[in-house]
Amino acid sequence: MPRIPLVDLAASYARHRDTIDAAVRAVVEDTRFIQGREVGEFESAFAAFCGTRHAVGVSSGTAAIHLSLAALGVGPGDEVAVPAHTFVATAEPVTWLGARPRFVEVDAGTGGMDPDALKSVIDRVRVVMPVHLYGLPVDLSALGALATAAGVPLVEDAAQAHGAEFVHDDGSVVRAGAYGRIGCFSFYPGKNLGAFGDAGAVTTSDPALADKIRRLADHGRATKYEHLVVGYAARLDTLQAAVLAVKLTTLRASNQRRRELAAAYRSRLDGVGDLVLPVEPANRRGVHHLFVLRTAHRDALLAHLQEAGIGAGVHYPIPLHLQPAYASLGYRPGDLPVTEAWARECLSLPLYPELTDEQLETVVAQVRTYFERV
Ligand SMILES: *Cc1c(COP(=O)(O)O)cnc(C)c1O
């Protein structure tokens, strides 16, 4: 166990222990483990938080993406634009549906889907699915304009971005998951809003899509015994909903603390070695799911930090277009050079709401020590 882990789920539980224990006990005693009252209550609260008319609880972030693409009719012969620099779950459901992921180059500064790169493939894709990577919204107005002009839906992979905000030119603010036709969220335990197991949600303001996704997640049911379509078993558990409802009440404050810690890292690490620190464009407010910097010394710095008991990580070392699982798509090293540079140089430092100022100083000191020696 590193002295300072990358994420600290025990600290998170300690902060919420009494309310979570009570909420879990209520579900256990009530025994409505499937579609209990807490599911609908959490869905309403999460939709209100995101600023959408609907939220549908599902079994994971991956399921959220799968059900969303299925509801939009993605199937064999289709292509879906996804960034190459992301977690594999952004692309897997595309493949499950018989469609082909079209891996799009990312922006050198932010790591999000590059609108210029999308432009060159927009005419061939059925859906555009950017990722608000590390909690920073992508350039929604540029990507959204391209999708709108091409007449294809934009689906946001907001698995890392609960509460992140994008500011329009007129000053109005939209939260992650509320801009596109659909937003897909993960409540994997280490995410900004984390369950005690797998869980996820789909957000949308389109009532027909919400109904369709809800039905697909529950065996295609119209009623208890009538199945309109062949669906899936991908509901949100009542127990997870109960935990999530408790943690949602402190999400805003947790995100604020993450922003403070990120600002502290930025000021304390500015100018150290060859570090490139994460940027935040003026029209976006990220929620720092991860604090990811870049350095040509990535592997050596990672080893140094781990040696010092600091749980640094890499998100993600192998870009999707070069994953063995996607070898059949025929991509080669060098095809997406900006993505490949991210994969080579990115390093994630510990960042979670319970990280103390002292712990942050310890991390900073170890990063500085590394660069003093090279
Ligand atoms: C976590 C994550 C997912 C998948 O979510 P699960 O809940 O683990 O299935 C999808 N996309 C991104 C970008 C993620 O970080």
Side-chain angles (χ1 to χ4, degrees):
M1 178 73 181
R3 278 189 296 125
I4 302 177
L6 188 63
V7 286
D8 191 342
L9 299 180
S12 167
Y13 174 56
R15 196 151 67 97
H16 295 98
R17 190 190 309 268
D18 292 346
T19 36
I20 286 181
D21 287 0
V24 167
R25 180 179 296 270
V27 175
V28 171
E29 287 178 351
D30 185 50
T31 72
R32 293 200 49 199
F33 298 114
I34 305 295
Q35 288 176 338
R37 177 175 52 80
E38 289 81 357
V39 174
E41 288 175 357
F42 171 69
E43 288 174 335
S44 300
F46 191 64
F49 176 85
C50 294
T52 57
R53 288 172 65 188
H54 308 278
V56 180
V58 297
S59 54
S60 70
T62 312
I65 294 168
H66 186 203
L67 297 167
S68 298
L69 296 178
L72 291 170
V74 169
D78 291 333
E79 296 195 8
V80 175
V82 298
H85 182 52
T86 179
F87 182 56
V88 69
T90 308
E92 282 172 313
V94 176
T95 310
W96 297 342
L97 292 165
R100 182 191 200 280
R102 174 61 58 177
F103 294 121
V104 179
E105 185 64 291
V106 298
D107 177 70
T110 62
M113 185 185 277
D114 180 359
D116 282 330
L118 176 64
K119 209 174 287 174
S120 60
V121 300
I122 187 76
D123 287 333
R124 57 200 305 171
V125 301
R126 263 283 263 118
V127 173
V128 174
M129 189 163 54
V131 178
H132 303 309
L133 196 70
Y134 312 144
L136 181 72
V138 289
D139 186 346
L140 280 168
S141 52
L143 297 171
L146 286 167
T148 303
V152 299
L154 187 116
V155 175
E156 299 169 59
D157 180 341
Q160 303 186 356
H162 322 68
E165 293 177 335
F166 184 84
V167 186
H168 288 289
D169 290 343
D170 67 2
S172 62
V173 173
V174 65
R175 283 212 164 151
Y179 181 94
R181 280 289 292 286
I182 298 177
C184 298
F185 288 89
S186 166
F187 306 127
Y188 186 83
K191 298 285 164 79
N192 288 37
L193 180 59
F196 285 2
D198 281 312
V202 174
T203 52
T204 183
S205 289
D206 178 335
L209 261 181
D211 283 351
K212 203 165 176 183
I213 288 163
R214 190 180 295 287
R215 176 172 298 139
L216 280 173
D218 186 26
H219 302 285
R221 272 197 175 103
T223 63
K224 185 165 167 51
Y225 295 113
E226 190 190 14
H227 304 269
L228 285 188
V229 292
V230 177
Y232 303 90
R235 296 165 303 224
L236 175 65
D237 287 342
T238 310
L239 272 171
Q240 301 301 349
V243 170
L244 290 165
V246 171
K247 291 176 106 183
L248 180 59
T249 61
T250 55
L251 178 56
R252 195 185 295 260
S254 297
N255 282 343
Q256 186 51 37
R257 174 64 180 157
R258 285 175 185 269
R259 287 180 58 83
E260 280 168 27
L261 290 163
Y265 268 138
R266 278 200 192 92
S267 72
R268 305 285 289 116
L269 291 173
D270 187 34
V272 173
D274 71 341
L275 292 182
V276 179
L277 302 175
V279 295
E280 185 174 65
N283 61 349
R284 307 182 219 171
R285 285 197 283 272
V287 291
H288 290 283
H289 171 56
L290 293 166
F291 188 86
V292 179
L293 42 77
R294 287 178 61 170
T295 166
H297 300 258
R298 196 268 308 280
D299 292 338
L301 177 56
L302 178 66
H304 171 82
L305 291 175
Q306 287 177 342
E307 189 85 353
I310 291 166
V314 176
H315 302 84
Y316 300 88
I318 307 177
L320 297 194
H321 68 293
L322 301 180
Q323 286 289 353
Y326 280 117
S328 65
L329 295 182
Y331 288 93
R332 294 276 169 273
D335 283 350
L336 299 173
V338 181
T339 290
E340 291 165 38
W342 270 98
R344 252 189 333 269
E345 298 180 351
C346 63
L347 176 76
S348 312
L349 297 182
L351 187 135
Y352 45 89
E354 299 80 12
L355 187 76
T356 65
D357 296 343
E358 297 71 41
Q359 286 175 314
L360 182 137
E361 291 304 332
T362 304
V363 177
V364 166
Q366 285 298 337
V367 173
R368 287 173 176 272
T369 301
Y370 171 82
F371 281 105
E372 278 157 17
R373 287 190 200 149
V374 293

